[in-house]
């Protein structure tokens, strides 16, 4: 109860007001205010032009901007340049239509570091149903995104060498075959392996063998194009898929790789050579047939003395 009273002559008069409901409402407001400050969700309120009017502690923590730097600034201070104008246009269209926008933002912190924020933006309306402000709530999911990217990378790459693994190669290979069938462009395939690699492991150990594999990968990567698909097929066997490449160009590249590898010093393992099988995609053949022909060419190269390129 709220009481107000005054003394008039010998009489006290006053008013007693039941403020139970308003006290409850005030307590709720305090509770909500405390929750907004203590949760780890990023909360930002802007006016209808995108000027920031409120940020919570989580905003300060995750973005690096303190309140004084944020209030009265446009929310565009968080722009990373990773979204095009169509992205932001879609946000404003959604909000001004009275709907909530949900999406993934790549934002920029005060120090220039990028972070991923899973965000919901909703409108705040007055008693006349006019939009007066927007409230944005978001979660910093950078760690989750980075973990997902790392898992994708692990699923697609060979752990030792860092190039594509067999599974990922087969996925890309099928895409390239469909492209060739559609556009009738040339596609060549190089298969190679290291001559007498077992002796390297037997004589110097698997650590040396691993270093040889990594060095050969580094040598090959320096000689092929970014558009070429380089993968470890298994053991000491590798594949290079060359889009938009005829058989003569693929053969020339193979000779270059063979010579470069032969001239490379593999330290403890000394000088090593590789054998190459080269082929090209023939009209409407199966992927298995294409790869088998490269494998047959490699088999012939090894049978005919190794350290050579055979084309089929």
């Amino acid at each position: 109860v709220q009481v107000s009273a005054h003394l008039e002559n010998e009489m006290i008069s006053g008013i007693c007001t039941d403020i139970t409901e308003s006290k409850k409402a005030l307590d709720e407001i305090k509770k909500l205010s405390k929750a907004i400050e203590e949760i780890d969700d990023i909360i930002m309120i802007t006016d209808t032009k995108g000027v920031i009017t409120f940020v919570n502690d989580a905003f300060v923590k995750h973005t690096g901007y303190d309140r004084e730097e944020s209030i009265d600034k446009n929310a565009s201070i968080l722009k990373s340049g990773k979204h095009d104008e169509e992205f932001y246009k879609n946000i404003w269209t959604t909000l001004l239509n009275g709907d909530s926008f949900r999406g993934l933002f790549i934002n920029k912190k005060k120090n220039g570091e990028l972070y991923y924020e899973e965000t919901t933006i909703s409108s705040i309306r007055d008693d006349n149903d006019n939009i007066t402000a927007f409230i944005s709530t978001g979660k910093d999911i950078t760690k989750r995104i980075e973990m997902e990217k790392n898992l994708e990378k692990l699923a697609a790459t060979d752990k030792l060498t860092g190039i594509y693994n067999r599974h990922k190669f087969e996925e890309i290979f099928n895409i390239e075959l469909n492209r060739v069938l559609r556009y009738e462009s040339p596609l060549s395939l190089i298969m190679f392996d290291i001559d007498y690699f077992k002796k390297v492991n037997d004589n110097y150990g698997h650590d040396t063998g691993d270093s040889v594999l990594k060095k050969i990968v580094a040598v090959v990567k320096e000689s092929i194009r970014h558009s070429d698909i380089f993968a470890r097929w298994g053991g000491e066997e590798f594949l290079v898929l060359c889009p938009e490449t005829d058989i003569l160009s693929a053969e020339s590249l193979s000779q270059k790789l063979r010579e470069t590898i032969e001239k490379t010093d593999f330290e403890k393992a000394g000088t090593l050579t590789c054998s190459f099988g080269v082929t090209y995609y023939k009209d409407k053949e199966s992927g298995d047939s294409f790869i088998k022909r490269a494998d047959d060419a490699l088999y012939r190269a090894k049978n005919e003395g190794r350290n050579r390129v055979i084309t089929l």
Side-chain angles (χ1 to χ4, degrees), residues 165-175 231 233 291:
N165 57 24
R166 185 167 183 155
H167 174 76
K168 186 63 177 180
F169 177 86
E170 289 173 341
E171 180 184 319
I172 299 172
F173 181 67
N174 288 327
I175 293 171
W233 193 238
I291 292 175

Side-chain angles (χ1 to χ4, degrees), residues 44-244:
M44 175 177 68
I45 298 176
T46 72
D47 64 17
T48 54
K49 294 182 179 179
V51 176
I52 299 171
T53 58
F54 170 85
V55 296
N56 69 341
D57 286 347
F59 177 95
V60 175
K61 171 187 170 184
H62 288 280
T63 69
Y65 289 100
D66 59 35
R67 281 182 168 79
E68 290 72 20
E69 293 173 308
S70 307
I71 302 302
D72 294 331
K73 297 291 193 308
N74 196 282
S76 60
I77 60 172
L78 300 176
K79 272 190 177 182
S80 63
K82 297 295 182 181
H83 301 290
D84 57 22
E85 288 305 312
E86 192 64 29
F87 177 81
Y88 294 105
K89 183 180 178 182
N90 181 40
I91 294 172
W92 282 107
T93 301
T94 302
L95 294 175
L96 294 174
N97 282 340
D99 298 320
S100 294
F101 177 86
R102 294 176 178 83
L104 178 63
F105 285 77
I106 304 174
N107 284 339
K108 185 169 66 175
K109 299 181 181 182
K110 181 182 175 181
N111 64 5
E113 182 182 337
L114 300 183
Y115 70 99
Y116 292 86
E117 184 181 324
E118 203 169 54
T119 305
T120 299
I121 307 173
S122 302
S123 58
I124 299 173
R125 297 172 179 270
D126 61 18
D127 293 339
N128 296 318
D129 205 33
N130 296 315
I131 296 174
T132 59
F134 299 108
I135 180 167
S136 164
T137 60
K139 290 183 180 294
D140 184 341
I141 59 168
T142 305
K143 288 183 179 179
R144 191 185 88 191
I145 295 292
E146 288 176 348
M147 187 181 297
E148 288 172 356
K149 286 183 177 180
N150 286 334
L151 289 173
E152 287 175 8
K153 185 177 180 182
L154 287 172
T157 58
D158 175 61
K159 185 177 180 181
L160 176 66
T161 62
I163 59 175
Y164 288 132
N165 57 24
R166 185 167 183 155
H167 174 76
K168 186 63 177 180
F169 177 86
E170 289 173 341
E171 180 184 319
I172 299 172
F173 181 67
N174 288 327
I175 293 171
E176 287 299 321
L177 287 186
N178 289 331
R179 186 184 61 79
V180 168
L181 289 171
R182 183 175 179 180
Y183 298 106
E184 298 183 352
S185 52
L187 180 66
S188 294
L189 180 63
I190 301 168
M191 180 180 285
F192 71 94
D193 74 2
I194 306 168
D195 296 329
Y196 303 112
F197 183 68
K198 185 176 182 300
K199 290 183 179 180
V200 174
N201 283 328
D202 291 345
N203 295 336
Y204 305 107
H206 288 281
D207 286 345
T208 299
D210 288 349
S211 68
V212 165
L213 291 170
K214 288 191 281 189
K215 192 156 191 176
I216 280 183
V217 165
V219 168
V220 172
K221 285 174 73 174
E222 288 182 359
S223 298
I224 62 177
R225 306 167 301 177
H226 289 297
S227 58
D228 295 329
I229 295 96
F230 185 26
R232 187 178 179 189
W233 193 238
E236 70 274 23
E237 199 167 66
F238 299 88
L239 286 173
V240 182
L241 186 65
C242 306
E244 303 290 342

Side-chain angles (χ1 to χ4, degrees), residues 1-2 17-27:
V1 174
Q2 186 179 63
T17 307
D18 182 350
I19 60 167
T20 304
E21 292 305 317
S22 59
K23 182 69 167 62
K24 285 181 180 178
L26 183 60
D27 288 344

